[in-house]
Amino acid sequence: MDKQQRTGESEKDDDGAGILCRFAHLVFPYLEPAGVASVSATCKVLHVVSKAITSSRISDASRCLENYPIPFFNSVDSELYANFIYSPVQTLPTSPSIPWGGGSGRVKPDPFLVRVEGAYGCDCESCDLDSGSNCACTDFSELPTRECGPSCGCGLECSNRLTQKGISVKLKVVKDRRKGWSLCAAEFIPKGKFICEYTGELLTTEEARNRQRLYDKLSKSGHFSPALLVVKEHLPSGNACMRINIDATRIGNIARFINHSCDGGNLSTLIVRSSGALLPRVCFFSSRVILENEELAFSYGDTTVNSTGSQCFCSSACCSGILPAEHT
């Protein structure tokens, strides 16, 4: 091969790398960690781009979709961050995938997946609860179980839309040697503070059961951590039970990293309804003061439902040694 031929091929390689670098911002967000690592090894320029992409993913699990960045910290192994699709609101299984990438300037998604046409709400311009507002959507309990919604006249600035404004506390995702990824406080959190909603794919009971069977098989390998939450609410009549199936395994928010604690943990789980919204939302509030760097946890349920569940590492005084899991 003569020098002129080698020079020509080198120029073609440079042109190819240049084109890839030019469109890297469009391609890289769709790559999983292994893909980013592979591209990184192709040339120096793409190595720099890949390193920047990885640093961005580590620095914020929410992809700029929350009020504060939520960084990953791992001193246990080589996994730099958890790979999943972030969604700050409930989604349907058929919803299009949102790639990795910066979300600054992105329009905040609608927190109400399904609305009730013709539903009644308050006609307040601003429901200022602190000044004694008599908003019809308020239940005046210590923690809100009912809020203003899409059928109301007020906007997002309304003080009775606490859980609709995104995460308002600083959090971080930390890798634990036994538990895996866990959600921790990055600042002091007072009692009664809204932490986050549990978001993910809303499933029918049949689909939830099918996925759980699949997840049970995958979990036997020890390298798979599903995040399918089933919440059952007994209605006032006592004759019916409403079931909510939210799968954050593939699509969800940082609530997917909240681990179980046999003593109930430091979070309260509330089902919050909004005027004009068909579906309620599962929200977490601090049940006591939470110190900076303290792990956030709640009870997944009764361990007696499934005595063959996975091992529990909550280390609480009343730890049963088994993670709650039911036959969905």
Side-chain angles (χ1 to χ4, degrees):
M1 183 184 294
D2 58 29
K3 182 177 180 181
Q4 184 176 1
Q5 186 177 357
R6 287 197 302 268
T7 302
E9 290 184 356
S10 176
E11 289 176 352
K12 289 181 181 179
D13 290 341
D14 290 342
D15 290 342
I19 292 173
L20 185 54
C21 291
R22 191 183 309 166
F23 295 100
H25 67 289
L26 299 176
V27 177
F28 275 59
Y30 289 91
L31 297 180
E32 295 191 357
V36 175
S38 296
V39 173
S40 175
T42 58
C43 70
K44 291 182 179 180
V45 175
L46 290 179
H47 174 73
V48 173
V49 176
S50 300
K51 189 174 181 179
I53 291 290
T54 300
S55 296
S56 175
R57 295 183 178 185
I58 294 173
S59 67
D60 187 9
S62 76
R63 314 177 194 191
C64 301
L65 288 172
E66 298 292 357
N67 298 316
Y68 299 105
I70 306 168
F72 288 98
F73 293 93
N74 183 1
S75 59
V76 174
D77 54 36
S78 60
E79 186 181 17
L80 299 176
Y81 57 88
N83 185 46
F84 69 105
I85 300 169
Y86 197 93
S87 176
V89 298
Q90 296 171 339
T91 66
L92 295 174
T94 55
S95 298
S97 297
I98 304 171
W100 274 101
S104 56
R106 183 180 293 168
V107 177
K108 186 174 177 60
D110 189 340
F112 307 112
L113 189 60
V114 183
R115 302 183 180 215
V116 180
E117 295 298 329
Y120 290 98
C122 72
D123 54 5
C124 312
E125 292 184 2
S126 178
C127 312
D128 189 354
L129 305 184
D130 294 332
S131 63
S133 170
N134 292 320
C135 174
C137 301
T138 307
D139 59 10
F140 297 103
S141 58
E142 184 178 358
L143 295 177
T145 57
R146 188 183 176 198
E147 294 183 336
C148 295
S151 63
C152 299
C154 54
L156 192 58
E157 70 282 353
C158 168
S159 60
N160 194 32
R161 293 176 181 261
L162 179 64
T163 67
Q164 302 168 33
K165 302 177 183 180
I167 297 170
S168 60
V169 295
K170 294 181 180 180
L171 304 168
K172 58 185 177 181
V173 183
V174 181
K175 190 68 171 288
D176 181 85
R177 190 173 300 278
R178 295 189 301 174
K179 300 178 185 177
W181 293 110
S182 57
L183 188 64
C184 299
E187 65 176 354
F188 173 88
I189 301 176
K191 179 182 177 180
K193 187 77 172 178
F194 170 64
I195 304 298
C196 64
E197 175 185 353
Y198 196 98
T199 71
E201 298 175 276
L202 282 174
L203 307 178
T204 63
T205 297
E206 180 181 2
E207 179 62 26
R209 287 171 176 162
N210 290 336
R211 289 199 185 186
Q212 188 60 59
R213 282 192 287 268
L214 172 62
Y215 294 162
D216 287 343
K217 293 179 181 178
L218 295 174
S219 296
K220 291 180 180 179
S221 66
H223 301 287
F224 181 76
S225 299
L228 174 57
L229 178 70
V230 177
V231 178
K232 296 178 180 179
E233 181 187 31
H234 294 279
L235 301 181
S237 64
N239 299 322
C241 176
M242 185 185 72
R243 173 180 171 131
I244 306 173
N245 310 291
I246 308 174
D247 190 2
T249 304
R250 187 177 71 93
I251 303 175
N253 67 347
I254 47 87
R256 70 195 297 278
F257 298 115
I258 304 177
N259 289 316
H260 164 77
S261 182
C262 292
D263 64 2
N266 47 23
L267 299 179
S268 297
T269 308
L270 266 70
I271 295 179
V272 179
R273 290 178 168 79
S274 301
S275 299
L278 177 63
L279 303 172
R281 294 176 297 117
V282 179
C283 298
F284 297 105
F285 290 80
S286 55
S287 59
R288 59 169 174 79
V289 165
I290 300 175
L291 302 179
E292 184 177 356
N293 298 321
E294 185 178 348
E295 183 183 356
L296 306 185
F298 73 104
S299 173
Y300 288 4
D302 188 357
T303 58
T304 60
V305 177
N306 183 5
S307 59
T308 61
S310 302
Q311 186 175 359
C312 178
F313 297 108
C314 74
S315 300
S316 66
C318 59
C319 180
S320 67
I322 300 173
L323 280 176
E326 64 172 308
H327 302 291
T328 58

